Structure formats: C-alpha cells, structure tokens
Amino acid sequence: MLTPGPDHPISVEPAKRRWRAMFNGHVIADTADALVLQEANYPPVVYFPRDDVAMEYMGRTDRITHCPYKGDAAYYTLRMNSEIAENAAWSYEEPADAVGRINSRIAFYTDQVEVYEVDDAAVNPHHVAEVRDDGHEAEVGEIVQHTDSGGGTSQRDHWKPNVETPGQEDRGGLN
C-alpha cells in the first residue's frame, strides 16, 4: 500500500455543511456528518455514513477495484422504481490507515447520482428554535423543558411572558 505524501496528497475532512444524494428524484442520502476526501488533483468526493443512506435501494455487486492509496473498493448498484444505476456507489470496507475515517462510508458517482450541499436551516428548521432574550440561541430540548406537556406541569419553570395578553390592559377600574 502506498502512503499519501507531497507527490500524491490525500486529506479527509468533516464537511462544513449538510450533504444529500438524490437518485431518480428521491433523496437517498442525507447527513450532517459527511466526510470530504480530497485526493491529489481529483475532484473532492463526499462520503456518507452508511446509517444516513437508504441502503434498501442498493445492492452489492461483484465489482471490486483497488486504489494503491486507499485499498479495495466494493460497489453497489442502485435500483429505484424502474431506474437502475449500475455500480453507482462504492465503499472502502477496510481502507488504508491514511484514510481510515472513510471506513464503510458510501460515496456516489456524480454522473449517476446528484450529490449536493444543502443549508441545514432550510431542511431542518427546528435545529435552532428561537433566540432567547439574552441573545443566545435556544435549542429545541431547552424549549421542550419549559413547555407544559398537557399534565399541568413542565420540567422547568415557565419563562416570563414577553407579550401582554390582549384585553387585559388596565380598564380604569372596570375589571
């Protein structure tokens, strides 16, 4: 096995944004945990965690290729509705140590599967639910703790109201 170096650099970095893969009009992979492999002068390749890929549409094929820097790649054919993409995805089941982070992740040929970045806030609008009075973002779990579950109690004290109830203003002693 060859080791990446100045003559053939390889880097594996966490993606900065969410990634998706679409086949035949359907999202078949969606992750905020993608890895981007950059090898020498080749285009970057996005590797998806297997748990974030719809593996039920993929079948392992007999095809295996060998990269002297990464190891042996196993291939998958996609089948969805009447569309078939032969050997459209691959995975390194036992990659070389230098790229061990891509172990068992799935990558797609971009001429057969559309692989694209997405804005996490656009597809996951409840990721940050609101901005608190102190200017910090309140996560969903924090908000749920201050919400009545229907039993008359919550896990934490309710926040102070930030609006007035209509019709409750001072009516000059007529209340």
Side-chain angles (χ1 to χ4, degrees), residues 136-148:
H136 292 92
E137 295 174 344
E139 295 292 330
V140 171
E142 180 182 354
I143 292 168
V144 168
Q145 291 180 345
H146 292 276
T147 305
D148 183 347

Side-chain angles (χ1 to χ4, degrees), residues 16-135:
K16 292 180 174 49
R17 297 186 74 184
R18 184 179 205 99
W19 282 85
R20 283 187 170 170
M22 184 180 299
F23 175 68
N24 196 20
H26 299 279
V27 174
I28 58 168
D30 181 359
T31 189
D33 186 29
L35 294 177
V36 179
L37 183 139
Q38 178 65 58
E39 179 177 3
N41 294 325
Y42 298 114
V45 176
V46 177
Y47 283 84
F48 291 83
R50 194 173 296 253
D51 288 344
D52 294 340
V53 176
M55 297 298 292
E56 62 270 21
Y57 299 108
M58 300 174 68
R60 181 92 176 252
T61 68
D62 293 335
R63 183 173 188 206
I64 296 174
T65 60
H66 178 77
C67 171
Y69 293 95
K70 296 186 293 285
D72 293 334
Y75 286 79
Y76 295 84
T77 291
L78 281 163
R79 290 179 183 89
M80 182 177 288
N81 301 330
S82 61
E83 294 290 319
I84 296 174
E86 294 286 337
N87 297 309
W90 72 92
S91 178
Y92 287 92
E93 309 295 318
E94 296 178 23
D97 290 341
V99 293
R101 294 171 66 191
I102 64 170
N103 184 23
S104 296
R105 288 175 174 255
I106 305 289
F108 299 95
Y109 281 110
T110 55
D111 62 338
Q112 297 184 66
V113 175
E114 182 183 359
V115 177
Y116 57 98
E117 277 184 298
V118 292
D119 180 11
D120 189 60
V123 298
N124 190 8
H126 55 79
H127 179 74
V128 173
E130 67 180 52
V131 177
R132 298 187 314 225
D133 290 339
D134 62 5

